[in-house]
């Protein structure tokens, strides 16, 4: 047992106050001092173990209540029972042990009522109602409180984790953007350097160019090719083949790219098909096709200088937003550069296939052909944030538990009050019938005027001393409910003859209330 804490001491004092005060105020039958001391000691033990063993603390308090009252409804220890049930729901992890203890308490209480109870039916209803409203409801409140704290803590932890993930995502996005910029710079500058080398090659073969200038132009062309290779080795390593294309459109369209390459001296033709624009402006499709055409033109300028190039674009009839682009070049007519191949086509293949397209690149007749088909890309769906399922399920379980307990409580209370009204109204002996009874009457004569039931909770403390050897029955003088009424007492001998009849006044009237029925005494 752990060392008591100041809060535990205050809790025990709060439990001890009704345990001692109920007897002093007359709310309970007076109890011996040793019983009060034993009850206070049991409450102290329950409070001491309530932190580590809340189930044991509740079980001990429930046993104390059952010992004091078979129906579990006891003014002295009832508050402690409700509070410890609340702490049980707040501190215990599992539900099944608590449910088994509740069932055990109900079984023990019903068994005790059946053995020593005066009127088992109403006492059983009171037991179940006390167990429901004094134990199960507080326990459910503690469970809800516990779940609320756990969910709040989980929410804060999730928020912290999401914040860390957001920071990590931002850092990864910055790194990807830097790599993307380097990749785009590599592709753009490589394309421009290829066009510079192409123009230098055209200038080198000009007929009116002096010989010493021709050598300088050859050196310029070689320098452009070397610069392209160095750019590929330095920046090209940052290329991520499996990364999708950026969503921002290129600065120029595919048609403008082809026109600029033609102005630079590349023998390229643009052959769109169909009345609609061959490549729809904006979006992922144009960006991917722009990269395909740019890479294909760059390779044609570097590896097949002087070869005619044809760029065709077709909008599919079955897929209005899908586009197929084909770049075809013939055999080279000039001396090709000594630059090595890169990973541009491999990266384009990954970018096209990740969008569900088809990418083909390889020899075609005497030259080379690059073909890419990009299907229509649907707009990103607008999604609402999904509700937090764990929170919703937890709230639903708590609401259903409370609703079920409330319905059961309403049934128990309704049934208990109905049984109370039935037993009270069926135990009423009319004053006129009481006046006809005479001492010495036989059991048959008395039975003709008696009601169906006798009072199960007779006011013996207010009744006079019965005749020696007689057994007495009590009947209500009025059918009023929820108030104290006068009672008639009939005492019989062993042969069933009426030997005495008395009027027991209602609470607060002492003996004066008998005057009201003096005329019926006979």
């Amino acid at each position: 047992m752990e060392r008591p804490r100041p809060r535990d001491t205050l809790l025990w004092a709060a439990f001890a106050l009704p345990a001692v005060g109920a007897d002093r105020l007359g709310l309970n039958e007076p109890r011996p001092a040793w019983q009060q001391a034993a009850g206070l000691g049991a409450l102290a033990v329950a409070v001491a173990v309530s932190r580590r063993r809340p189930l044991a603390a509740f079980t001990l308090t429930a046993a104390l209540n059952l010992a004091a009252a078979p129906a579990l409804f006891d003014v002295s220890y009832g508050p402690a029972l409700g509070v410890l049930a609340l702490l049980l729901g707040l501190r215990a992890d599992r539900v099944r042990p608590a449910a088994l203890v509740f069932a055990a308490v109900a079984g023990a209480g019903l068994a005790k009522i059946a053995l020593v109870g005066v009127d088992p039916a109403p006492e059983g209803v009171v037991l179940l109602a006390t167990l429901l409203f004094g134990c199960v409801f507080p326990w459910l409140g503690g469970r809800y409180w516990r779940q609320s704290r756990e969910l709040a803590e989980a929410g804060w932890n999730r928020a912290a984790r999401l914040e860390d993930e957001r920071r990590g995502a931002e850092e990864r996005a910055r790194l990807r953007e830097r790599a993307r910029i380097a990749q785009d710079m590599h592709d753009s500058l490589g394309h421009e350097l290829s066009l510079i080398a192409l123009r230098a090659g055209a200038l080198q073969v000009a007929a009116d160019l002096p010989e010493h200038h021709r050598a300088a132009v050859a050196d310029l062309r070689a320098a452009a090719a070397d610069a392209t290779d160095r750019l590929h080795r330095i920046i090209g390593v940052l290329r991520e083949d499996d990364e999708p294309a950026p969503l921002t459109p290129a600065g120029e369209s595919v048609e403008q790219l082809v026109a600029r390459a033609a102005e630079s001296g590349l023998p390229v033709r643009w052959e769109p098909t169909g009345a609609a624009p061959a490549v729809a402006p904006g979006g992922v499709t144009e960006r991917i096709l722009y990269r395909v055409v740019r890479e294909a033109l760059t390779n044609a300028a570097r590896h097949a200088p002087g070869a005619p190039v044809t760029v065709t674009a077709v909008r599919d009839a079955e897929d209005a937003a899908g586009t197929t682009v084909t770049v075809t070049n013939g055999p080279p007519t000039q001396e090709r550069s000594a630059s090595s191949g890169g990973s541009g086509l491999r990266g384009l293949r990954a970018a096209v296939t990740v969008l569900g397209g088809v990418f083909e690149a390889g020899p075609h007749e005497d030259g080379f052909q690059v073909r890419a088909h990009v299907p229509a890309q649907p707009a990103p769906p607008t999604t609402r944030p999904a509700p937090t399922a764990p929170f919703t399920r937890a709230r639903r379980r708590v609401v259903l538990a409370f609703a079920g307990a409330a319905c059961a409580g309403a049934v128990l209370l309704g049934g208990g009050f109905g049984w109370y009204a039935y037993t009270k109204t069926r135990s009423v002996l009319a004053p006129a019938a009481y006046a006809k009874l005479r001492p010495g009457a036989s059991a048959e004569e008395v039975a003709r005027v008696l009601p169906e039931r006798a009072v199960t909770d007779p006011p013996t403390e207010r009744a006079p001393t019965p005749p020696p050897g007689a057994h007495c029955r009590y009947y209500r003088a009025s059918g009023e409910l929820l108030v104290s009424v006068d009672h008639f007492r009939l005492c019989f001998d062993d042969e069933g003859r009426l030997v005495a009849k008395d009027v027991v006044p209602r609470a607060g009237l002492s003996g004066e209330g008998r005057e009201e029925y003096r005329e019926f005494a006979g």
Side-chain angles (χ1 to χ4, degrees):
M1 186 181 301
E2 62 180 4
R3 184 178 180 181
R5 302 183 182 182
R7 291 185 179 179
D8 294 339
T9 304
L10 293 176
L11 182 62
W12 175 81
F15 291 165
L17 183 61
V20 176
D23 292 347
R24 298 292 186 270
L25 296 176
L27 300 178
N28 285 332
E29 293 292 334
R31 301 176 185 177
W34 68 269
Q35 287 187 0
Q36 293 188 4
L40 294 178
L43 290 178
V45 174
V47 171
V49 302
S50 62
R51 290 186 179 274
R52 291 192 175 183
R53 301 183 183 276
L55 187 62
F58 173 79
T59 305
L60 178 60
T61 309
L64 185 61
N65 277 266
L66 284 178
L72 197 66
F73 184 78
D74 186 75
V75 179
S76 298
Y77 309 120
L81 184 67
V83 173
L84 289 177
L86 175 67
L87 295 179
L88 174 62
L90 182 62
R91 295 172 178 173
D93 297 331
R94 302 172 60 189
V95 175
R96 182 173 297 179
L100 293 177
V101 169
F102 292 151
V105 171
L110 292 176
K112 185 176 180 180
I113 290 173
L115 293 176
V116 302
V118 178
D119 194 0
E123 291 182 357
V125 172
V126 173
L127 168 67
L128 296 179
T130 303
L131 183 64
L132 177 65
F133 290 100
C135 300
V136 177
F137 262 30
W139 174 73
L140 288 175
R143 292 286 302 174
Y144 179 75
W145 191 0
R146 175 188 178 89
Q147 289 181 356
S148 298
R149 294 197 310 181
E150 291 178 350
L151 291 176
E153 182 179 358
W156 284 112
N157 293 336
R158 178 178 175 82
R161 185 171 65 253
L162 291 177
E163 180 65 19
D164 294 340
E165 293 177 357
R166 184 186 64 81
R167 293 175 182 174
E170 290 179 354
E171 183 64 25
R172 290 192 298 271
R174 282 195 294 269
L175 294 177
R176 284 197 301 268
E177 186 62 22
R178 292 174 182 175
R180 195 190 310 278
I181 292 174
Q183 173 181 331
D184 289 345
M185 183 172 62
H186 164 265
D187 294 341
S188 300
L189 293 181
H191 179 72
E192 299 299 333
L193 290 174
S194 298
L195 294 181
I196 292 175
L198 180 64
R199 291 190 177 188
L203 183 61
Q204 181 182 358
V205 297
D208 55 348
L209 187 68
E211 190 63 30
H212 62 283
H213 287 171
R214 195 183 306 276
V217 170
D219 293 340
L220 177 61
R221 179 185 178 188
D226 292 342
T228 303
D229 291 338
R230 286 196 299 272
L231 179 66
H232 169 73
R233 287 193 299 269
I234 294 174
I235 304 180
V237 295
L238 298 177
R239 182 188 300 273
E240 299 182 16
D241 296 339
D242 58 345
E243 187 174 354
L247 299 179
T248 55
E252 59 182 354
S253 65
V254 176
E255 186 176 359
Q256 292 172 346
L257 172 66
V258 174
R260 187 163 59 85
E263 293 176 358
S264 299
L266 184 68
V268 57
R269 298 194 315 275
W270 169 248
E271 297 181 355
T273 303
V279 181
V284 179
T285 301
E286 184 189 25
R287 179 60 177 161
I288 287 292
L289 296 180
Y290 181 91
R291 290 180 57 188
V292 170
V293 174
R294 184 179 62 186
E295 184 68 22
L297 294 180
T298 301
N299 291 338
R302 291 171 58 190
H303 304 294
V309 182
T310 303
V311 180
T312 61
V314 180
R315 293 281 294 275
D316 298 343
E318 297 181 358
D319 187 4
T323 306
T324 301
V325 168
T326 305
V327 181
T328 307
N329 63 268
T333 59
Q334 302 176 12
E335 181 182 357
R336 69 179 64 185
S337 63
S339 60
S340 59
S343 60
L345 295 180
R346 188 166 59 251
L348 288 176
R349 183 185 302 277
V352 171
T353 54
V354 79
L355 297 177
V358 178
F359 183 85
E360 298 174 355
H364 178 72
E365 296 180 355
D366 294 335
F368 197 85
Q369 185 181 79
V370 176
R371 181 178 179 275
H373 171 74
V374 180
Q377 299 302 312
T382 303
T383 58
R384 296 182 178 179
T388 53
F391 293 84
T392 304
R393 287 196 297 267
R395 292 192 181 98
R396 185 180 298 115
R397 286 196 300 267
V398 172
V399 170
L400 290 178
F402 271 105
C407 292
V411 172
L412 286 176
L413 287 180
F417 184 79
W419 180 259
Y420 166 80
Y422 174 80
T423 56
K424 298 305 181 185
T425 55
R426 290 298 184 274
S427 60
V428 176
L429 178 60
Y434 171 79
K436 295 178 181 180
L437 296 176
R438 295 291 183 269
S442 63
E444 291 79 6
E445 296 175 350
V446 175
R448 286 196 295 267
V449 299
L450 292 183
E452 299 177 8
R453 299 174 57 88
V455 174
T456 57
D457 52 344
T460 55
E461 69 281 357
R462 301 194 302 271
T465 303
H471 60 278
C472 302
R473 302 176 192 172
Y474 292 79
Y475 300 92
R476 292 167 60 91
S478 171
E480 296 179 87
L481 301 177
L482 304 178
V483 294
S484 178
V485 298
D486 299 316
H487 287 72
F488 297 134
R489 187 183 73 173
L490 305 179
C491 297
F492 302 87
D493 59 11
D494 295 337
E495 296 180 358
R497 292 185 176 276
L498 181 64
V499 296
K501 51 184 293 189
D502 297 283
V503 177
V504 181
R506 57 186 176 272
L509 292 182
S510 184
E512 292 79 3
R514 303 180 188 177
E515 300 295 335
E516 183 179 350
Y517 299 96
R518 186 178 298 275
E519 57 177 308
F520 300 111

